Structure formats: C-alpha cells, structure tokens
Amino acid sequence: MVLPRTNIEKKLERLRAKEFDHATWQDQVQEIFRKDEARKTHIIKNLNASSKNVTNSFDFDQLDTHKIYHLDQIKKICITYRLRFLDTKYFKGKLPETAFSAIKELENKHHSELKGFKIIAPSKLFKLENADDPLLFAPMGNDYFYLVHKWGNDLHPLRKFSMWFFKSFENLLFLTFLVSVLLTFMVPDGLFSKESNTSTFIMVFFFMFKSVAAVVLFYGFALGKNFNTAIWNSKYINA
C-alpha cells in the first residue's frame, strides 16, 4: 500500500478552519493590519517628539545589561568618531522596519510605551539620507540609555584616526603643523634662497604654517565648523 504524499497547503487550510471562522477570516486579518498600522503611526509620533525630561519605565528583569550605556560613554564615542547624539526628530534618514519591530518587541516585553528616542549617527545623517551605522536609544533616567536597535553599515575603520584631528583645537593645530612641515619639505631647493640652510627652512616653514592656518580658519568660519567636543549633542546644522 502506497501512502499518499502530504500536502502542507491543505494541512494549513484545515488548521486555519479549526482556529478561525472562515466567514470572518478576511475581516480578522484586516483588523490585525489596522491595529499594527495604528501602532506604527503612534510610534512615529513618539519618534518625532522631544526627548526632554523623558524617562521610560523598564522591567529590569527583562533588560539586556549589555545594551545599557551611560551618557558619558556615549559622549566619549561621539567625540572620538565625530558623531552626534540627538533626538530622533532631527534624524533625516529613513528608519527601517526592523527598528519599528524592535520598538514593538521592547514595548511588549516591558508592557510600556517608549518615548524620548535619541540616535547616534554622523552629522550628515541629520541632514540627508545615508546608511552609516545609526544607533537608536531610549532614555532610562539618570543619564542612562538603552540601545533599542542598530542598523546600516559599520563606520570606516579609519574614521577614528581621520576625526582625531578635529577633536580639539590642539589636535587641529598639530595637523596644521604636520601639513606645514610636509609642504616645507616639498619646496624645491633654491626657490627662495641660493643656499639651503636651517634659517631658510624655518622661514619657509613659518610661511607655510601661516598659509595653512589661514586656509583652515577660512574653511572653519566659512562653513561654520566646530570641534567634536562642541557638536556631539548640537542640533544646529552648521556646528
């Protein structure tokens, strides 16, 4: 005797018929989608609201301690990699569906509505769309934040090095010094003097240093740029 092959689709149909009323099945599905869309709209409203003086109620037994960060730790990372930590209402990128799913899952787990969301991301992400490594946080109180979701690509491995020069005025001055020394060595012998000696080198160096410093100052003032320590939590575009 040959046993008939199992039709999974038929099995699914029978199971659905047992668990749901076939006559109202379509209405039930539409109601589920309606509620889900309404909840998503409410989450978007919370994402676009200010995070000032907002504290969320978490069930600490349900928290992943590896996702809890203090504001000082966030500040240090933002300064090191020239990132910003701002309310989600300033974020101009598009939040993926996985972020909304993560918020819903967290709200279900903690039986609480989450508010006051903030994001860590490069400055340009708060002006135009990009895909570099945004991190979504929810405030816990006492300057602690819970990492809700991370998406996009990781930062370039050399970003820390390239942004080091913009951490402070001293770092930028050191960059100006290095560029000036390099340009001084690139000046052909005898261009400014018949003899190449220490005095000539120092004179050319000071000329290069003033020129590079002038370009840096012009660039900084013209574009309204500032140091990492000043912009990490600034909501102003030209910072």
Side-chain angles (χ1 to χ4, degrees):
M1 179 181 180
V2 180
L3 295 175
R5 303 179 72 86
T6 302
N7 189 318
I8 295 299
E9 182 182 359
K10 295 296 183 182
K11 294 291 184 181
L12 277 172
E13 288 178 357
R14 291 174 185 172
L15 180 61
R16 183 182 64 189
K18 289 180 180 179
E19 296 183 351
F20 298 97
D21 183 358
H22 179 72
T24 62
W25 171 243
Q26 185 175 351
D27 293 336
Q28 293 176 60
V29 173
Q30 289 179 343
E31 180 64 15
I32 291 172
F33 278 106
R34 188 193 65 77
K35 289 182 178 179
D36 187 71
E37 189 62 29
R39 187 175 179 186
K40 182 178 178 180
T41 301
H42 194 68
I43 290 175
I44 292 174
K45 181 180 178 181
N46 288 336
L47 287 167
N48 291 327
S50 175
S51 67
K52 188 176 181 180
N53 300 324
V54 173
T55 300
N56 292 295
S57 299
F58 288 98
D59 179 358
F60 278 81
D61 292 332
Q62 299 289 334
L63 287 175
D64 181 355
T65 55
H66 293 90
K67 293 185 176 183
I68 299 175
Y69 299 90
H70 191 266
L71 183 62
D72 291 341
Q73 297 162 347
I74 293 173
K75 178 180 178 181
K76 186 175 182 180
I77 289 298
C78 287
I79 291 174
T80 299
Y81 291 95
R82 196 174 177 82
L83 304 170
R84 296 207 193 193
F85 183 57
L86 298 175
D87 294 352
T88 48
K89 67 177 182 178
Y90 296 112
F91 186 71
K92 301 304 179 185
K94 184 179 180 181
L95 269 69
E97 287 298 323
T98 50
F100 290 104
S101 298
I103 294 172
K104 293 175 186 176
E105 181 181 351
L106 205 58
E107 288 182 337
N108 292 338
K109 185 181 292 185
H110 295 272
H111 305 289
S112 177
E113 179 184 342
L114 298 182
K115 297 180 179 180
F117 296 99
K118 298 178 82 74
I119 281 184
I120 286 181
S123 298
K124 59 186 177 181
L125 270 180
F126 292 98
K127 290 181 288 185
L128 47 86
E129 292 190 7
N130 201 290
D132 287 336
D133 197 30
L135 280 73
L136 180 66
F137 289 86
M140 300 177 64
N142 294 321
D143 287 339
Y144 281 93
F145 293 84
Y146 191 77
L147 177 61
V148 178
H149 190 59
K150 171 189 176 296
W151 69 97
N153 303 317
D154 290 335
L155 295 174
H156 193 280
L158 296 180
R159 183 180 178 89
K160 180 179 180 179
F161 172 77
S162 62
M163 296 302 169
W164 181 87
F165 298 105
F166 305 103
K167 286 180 67 175
S168 65
F169 176 75
E170 292 80 7
N171 292 18
L172 186 60
L173 190 64
F174 181 66
L175 174 62
T176 305
F177 174 82
L178 289 180
V179 173
S180 301
V181 170
L182 179 62
L183 291 176
T184 302
F185 278 113
M186 293 174 63
V187 173
D189 293 339
L191 182 62
F192 294 101
S193 176
K194 294 181 179 179
E195 297 181 2
S196 296
N197 49 43
T198 304
S199 299
T200 304
F201 181 86
I202 294 175
M203 180 187 70
V204 175
F205 167 75
F206 277 116
F207 173 78
M208 291 297 181
F209 184 83
K210 288 192 294 183
S211 300
V212 174
V215 171
V216 170
L217 288 174
F218 175 79
Y219 172 79
F221 282 110
L223 298 182
K225 296 296 181 181
N226 211 327
F227 299 109
N228 299 4
T229 51
I231 72 164
W232 76 276
N233 63 346
S234 173
K235 62 183 180 180
Y236 296 104
I237 291 176
N238 291 328

